Amino acid sequence: MESESTFIAWLRDRLPPHSALRLGPGDDAAVLAWATADDVVVTVDMLMDGVDFELADVDPRRAGRKALAVNLSDLAAMAAQPVAALVALALPRHGGLALAQSLYEGLLPLAERFGVALAGGDTNSWDGPLVISITAIGRPRNGRVWKRSGARPGDVLLVTGQLGGSILGKHLDFTPRVEEALALAERYEIHAAMDISDGLALDLSRLTDESRCGAVVDVTSIPIAPAAVELAAQRRDGVTPLDHALADGEDFELLLAAEPSVAERILAEQVLSGRFGVPITAIGQFVAEPRLWQRDAAGEVSRLAPRGYEHRLD
Ligand SMILES: [Mg+2]
């Protein structure tokens, strides 16, 4: 019978050393080295078998990778440099040890790539399905974080990458835009930002709500992912590639607000495409009038519903 201690022994052996980790898994809590002047940026995400992935169809390594990647995407949205992560697992009783090891084999390479110390966590087993909850800790790159609340009327709405159809694979294998966010934060003044986890329209409505303004989206400018075109062709259900780009969740791209002169420089310099192969595109403007609007090819403006993925709490 394998136990939690077998797993922790395996894990302590498997974890690489990290300069920020003074004390890692094995004690009652972890100790991180920290510059006292820095703020601490903290985020948590919980993924569940059957909701965020189907373990029956997905290699657990991809599920483990995704669980860390969604947290790194949230740190990217704050322009924070990832430092450490804590991993809490609720494992099904049968095959729990092998599953835990596979999850870690998936998330460890991503942690190494982004310099994240795996500082500890908790491992339980139960009669339910796999639940994996990761808490990630970061520090602001320039002493200041990006927030959702700073967009101003007149600002340009920018987006990284391409949108839609993530269910065909990107929702598991996406690269969190950490390096992109830090590169932008170093060069430009960004008024507001967030990552797109639940759909462009829904997440943009959250950003405009926090900024107490609205936005007009030029739908002809939205960078539609090839996967959105493929998904529409596969399903033939009347949902267009544009609809997928507007409402599909889990693209994990960044939405940004910058004043027009800054946006112009960002678009002209395209620092992300040279270094990371990621385009950045202007897809609209922030306006004083609340709510979302869409401008079509003919220049007609109509309401844009904040569609996307939401967990139901009823
Ligand atoms: Mg987020």
Side-chain angles (χ1 to χ4, degrees), residues 3 9 29 33 53 57 63 66 83 94 105 112 121 135 149 160 164 179 182 189 194 227 231 248 261 264 278 286 290:
S3 68
F53 48 80
D57 309 326
K66 177 177 182 173
V83 175
H94 297 292
E105 293 300 352
E112 284 203 66
T135 301
S149 57
T160 61
E179 289 156 334
L182 298 179
E189 195 194 333
M194 73 180 294
L231 188 60
D248 285 1
S261 63
E264 226 169 86
V278 175
F286 291 90

Short mmCIF file of all heavy atoms in Angstrom, two decimals, residues 3 9 29 33 53 57 63 66 83 94 105 112 121 135 149 160 164 179 182 189 194 227 231 248 261 264 278 286 290:
data_model
loop_
_atom_site.label_atom_id
_atom_site.label_comp_id
_atom_site.label_asym_id
_atom_site.label_seq_id
_atom_site.Cartn_x
_atom_site.Cartn_y
_atom_site.Cartn_z
N SER A 3 1.74 5.24 0.30
CA SER A 3 1.20 6.26 1.19
C SER A 3 1.72 7.63 0.78
O SER A 3 2.57 7.75 -0.11
CB SER A 3 1.61 5.97 2.62
OG SER A 3 3.02 6.17 2.71
N ALA A 9 8.60 11.40 -0.33
CA ALA A 9 10.00 10.97 -0.49
C ALA A 9 10.39 11.02 -1.97
O ALA A 9 11.46 11.52 -2.34
CB ALA A 9 10.18 9.57 0.08
N ALA A 29 6.09 24.00 6.82
CA ALA A 29 5.83 25.04 5.82
C ALA A 29 7.12 25.28 5.07
O ALA A 29 8.21 24.90 5.54
CB ALA A 29 5.35 26.33 6.48
N ALA A 33 13.14 32.79 0.05
CA ALA A 33 13.95 34.01 0.14
C ALA A 33 13.16 35.15 -0.50
O ALA A 33 12.53 34.96 -1.53
CB ALA A 33 15.27 33.81 -0.60
N PHE A 53 -10.73 19.08 -17.42
CA PHE A 53 -10.16 18.09 -18.32
C PHE A 53 -10.85 16.77 -18.00
O PHE A 53 -11.52 16.64 -16.98
CB PHE A 53 -8.64 17.95 -18.15
CG PHE A 53 -8.20 17.81 -16.72
CD1 PHE A 53 -8.29 16.59 -16.07
CD2 PHE A 53 -7.73 18.91 -16.01
CE1 PHE A 53 -7.92 16.46 -14.74
CE2 PHE A 53 -7.36 18.79 -14.68
CZ PHE A 53 -7.46 17.56 -14.04
N ASP A 57 -9.51 10.77 -21.06
CA ASP A 57 -9.03 11.05 -22.42
C ASP A 57 -7.69 11.77 -22.45
O ASP A 57 -7.13 11.96 -23.53
CB ASP A 57 -10.02 11.96 -23.17
CG ASP A 57 -11.44 11.45 -23.10
OD1 ASP A 57 -11.61 10.22 -23.08
OD2 ASP A 57 -12.37 12.28 -23.03
N ALA A 63 -2.52 17.32 -17.86
CA ALA A 63 -3.39 17.93 -16.85
C ALA A 63 -2.55 18.65 -15.79
O ALA A 63 -2.88 19.76 -15.36
CB ALA A 63 -4.27 16.86 -16.21
N LYS A 66 -1.18 21.81 -17.26
CA LYS A 66 -2.21 22.84 -17.38
C LYS A 66 -2.48 23.50 -16.02
O LYS A 66 -2.66 24.72 -15.95
CB LYS A 66 -3.51 22.22 -17.91
CG LYS A 66 -4.66 23.23 -17.97
CD LYS A 66 -5.91 22.65 -18.57
CE LYS A 66 -7.00 23.72 -18.65
NZ LYS A 66 -8.20 23.25 -19.38
N VAL A 83 7.65 33.03 -8.94
CA VAL A 83 8.74 32.64 -8.04
C VAL A 83 8.53 31.21 -7.52
O VAL A 83 9.44 30.39 -7.58
CB VAL A 83 8.86 33.61 -6.85
CG1 VAL A 83 9.92 33.12 -5.86
CG2 VAL A 83 9.21 35.01 -7.34
N HIS A 94 -7.47 4.71 -5.91
CA HIS A 94 -6.78 3.69 -6.72
C HIS A 94 -5.85 4.36 -7.72
O HIS A 94 -6.26 5.23 -8.47
CB HIS A 94 -7.80 2.79 -7.41
CG HIS A 94 -8.63 2.02 -6.43
ND1 HIS A 94 -8.10 1.02 -5.64
CD2 HIS A 94 -9.93 2.15 -6.07
CE1 HIS A 94 -9.06 0.55 -4.85
NE2 HIS A 94 -10.17 1.23 -5.09
N GLU A 105 5.36 15.05 -13.35
CA GLU A 105 6.22 14.95 -14.53
C GLU A 105 5.76 15.91 -15.61
O GLU A 105 6.54 16.37 -16.42
CB GLU A 105 6.26 13.51 -15.05
CG GLU A 105 6.94 12.51 -14.12
CD GLU A 105 8.41 12.83 -13.81
OE1 GLU A 105 8.98 13.75 -14.42
OE2 GLU A 105 8.98 12.15 -12.93
N GLU A 112 10.37 24.53 -14.42
CA GLU A 112 11.79 24.82 -14.68
C GLU A 112 11.93 25.90 -15.74
O GLU A 112 12.76 26.80 -15.61
CB GLU A 112 12.51 23.54 -15.12
CG GLU A 112 12.78 22.63 -13.94
CD GLU A 112 13.92 21.67 -14.22
OE1 GLU A 112 15.06 22.14 -14.37
OE2 GLU A 112 13.64 20.46 -14.30
N GLY A 121 3.09 21.70 -0.64
CA GLY A 121 1.69 21.49 -0.95
C GLY A 121 1.07 20.50 -0.02
O GLY A 121 1.52 20.33 1.12
N THR A 135 -1.35 27.03 -5.96
CA THR A 135 -1.20 28.42 -5.56
C THR A 135 0.15 28.89 -6.08
O THR A 135 1.17 28.24 -5.84
CB THR A 135 -1.21 28.54 -4.02
OG1 THR A 135 -2.45 28.01 -3.54
CG2 THR A 135 -1.07 30.00 -3.58
N SER A 149 -8.32 47.46 -13.43
CA SER A 149 -9.09 48.68 -13.17
C SER A 149 -8.55 49.93 -13.83
O SER A 149 -9.12 51.00 -13.66
CB SER A 149 -9.20 48.90 -11.66
OG SER A 149 -7.89 48.96 -11.11
N THR A 160 -2.89 39.71 -27.34
CA THR A 160 -1.77 38.90 -27.84
C THR A 160 -2.31 37.67 -28.57
O THR A 160 -3.43 37.22 -28.30
CB THR A 160 -0.87 38.40 -26.68
OG1 THR A 160 -1.65 37.57 -25.81
CG2 THR A 160 -0.27 39.56 -25.89
N GLY A 164 -9.80 31.57 -30.12
CA GLY A 164 -10.87 30.66 -30.52
C GLY A 164 -10.41 29.24 -30.78
O GLY A 164 -9.28 29.00 -31.18
N GLU A 179 6.67 35.62 -20.27
CA GLU A 179 7.81 36.37 -20.82
C GLU A 179 7.31 37.56 -21.63
O GLU A 179 7.91 38.64 -21.61
CB GLU A 179 8.65 35.43 -21.70
CG GLU A 179 9.40 34.41 -20.85
CD GLU A 179 9.77 33.15 -21.62
OE1 GLU A 179 9.08 32.81 -22.60
OE2 GLU A 179 10.75 32.49 -21.22
N LEU A 182 6.22 40.34 -19.20
CA LEU A 182 7.35 41.02 -18.58
C LEU A 182 8.07 41.91 -19.60
O LEU A 182 8.50 43.02 -19.27
CB LEU A 182 8.31 40.00 -17.95
CG LEU A 182 7.69 39.16 -16.82
CD1 LEU A 182 8.71 38.15 -16.29
CD2 LEU A 182 7.15 40.02 -15.68
N GLU A 189 4.02 51.66 -20.88
CA GLU A 189 3.06 51.87 -19.79
C GLU A 189 1.72 51.26 -20.20
O GLU A 189 1.05 51.75 -21.11
CB GLU A 189 2.89 53.35 -19.48
CG GLU A 189 2.18 53.51 -18.15
CD GLU A 189 1.65 54.91 -17.89
OE1 GLU A 189 2.23 55.87 -18.45
OE2 GLU A 189 0.66 55.04 -17.15
N MET A 194 -5.57 41.79 -18.34
CA MET A 194 -6.06 40.53 -17.75
C MET A 194 -5.79 39.42 -18.75
O MET A 194 -5.49 39.68 -19.91
CB MET A 194 -7.53 40.60 -17.38
CG MET A 194 -8.51 40.56 -18.53
SD MET A 194 -10.24 40.66 -17.95
CE MET A 194 -10.44 39.12 -17.06
N ALA A 227 -7.55 27.20 -35.33
CA ALA A 227 -8.36 26.20 -34.61
C ALA A 227 -9.83 26.60 -34.54
O ALA A 227 -10.72 25.74 -34.53
CB ALA A 227 -7.81 26.00 -33.19
N LEU A 231 -12.70 24.24 -35.89
CA LEU A 231 -13.78 23.81 -35.00
C LEU A 231 -15.14 24.10 -35.64
O LEU A 231 -16.05 23.26 -35.59
CB LEU A 231 -13.65 24.53 -33.66
CG LEU A 231 -14.57 24.07 -32.53
CD1 LEU A 231 -14.35 22.59 -32.20
CD2 LEU A 231 -14.35 24.92 -31.28
N ASP A 248 -15.09 31.56 -26.89
CA ASP A 248 -14.45 30.34 -26.37
C ASP A 248 -13.55 30.68 -25.19
O ASP A 248 -12.89 31.72 -25.19
CB ASP A 248 -13.58 29.67 -27.45
CG ASP A 248 -14.42 28.95 -28.51
OD1 ASP A 248 -15.66 28.98 -28.40
OD2 ASP A 248 -13.82 28.36 -29.43
N SER A 261 -0.92 56.66 -28.16
CA SER A 261 0.48 56.83 -28.58
C SER A 261 1.33 55.62 -28.18
O SER A 261 2.21 55.19 -28.92
CB SER A 261 1.06 58.12 -27.99
OG SER A 261 1.07 58.02 -26.58
N GLU A 264 0.37 52.66 -30.42
CA GLU A 264 1.00 52.82 -31.73
C GLU A 264 2.44 52.29 -31.73
O GLU A 264 2.86 51.60 -32.65
CB GLU A 264 1.04 54.31 -32.07
CG GLU A 264 0.60 54.66 -33.48
CD GLU A 264 0.44 56.17 -33.60
OE1 GLU A 264 1.45 56.83 -33.89
OE2 GLU A 264 -0.70 56.66 -33.37
N VAL A 278 4.91 35.85 -31.16
CA VAL A 278 3.53 36.13 -30.77
C VAL A 278 3.13 37.51 -31.30
O VAL A 278 3.75 38.51 -30.94
CB VAL A 278 3.39 36.10 -29.23
CG1 VAL A 278 1.99 36.50 -28.81
CG2 VAL A 278 3.73 34.71 -28.71
N PHE A 286 -11.50 51.61 -25.79
CA PHE A 286 -12.29 51.80 -24.58
C PHE A 286 -13.07 53.11 -24.71
O PHE A 286 -12.56 54.08 -25.29
CB PHE A 286 -11.39 51.82 -23.34
CG PHE A 286 -10.79 50.47 -23.07
CD1 PHE A 286 -9.58 50.09 -23.62
CD2 PHE A 286 -11.48 49.54 -22.28
CE1 PHE A 286 -9.05 48.83 -23.40
CE2 PHE A 286 -10.95 48.27 -22.05
CZ PHE A 286 -9.74 47.92 -22.61
N PRO A 290 -20.64 52.76 -20.55
CA PRO A 290 -20.42 51.39 -20.10
C PRO A 290 -20.96 50.36 -21.10
O PRO A 290 -21.68 50.70 -22.01
CB PRO A 290 -21.19 51.31 -18.77
CG PRO A 290 -22.07 52.48 -18.72
CD PRO A 290 -21.57 53.50 -19.69
#
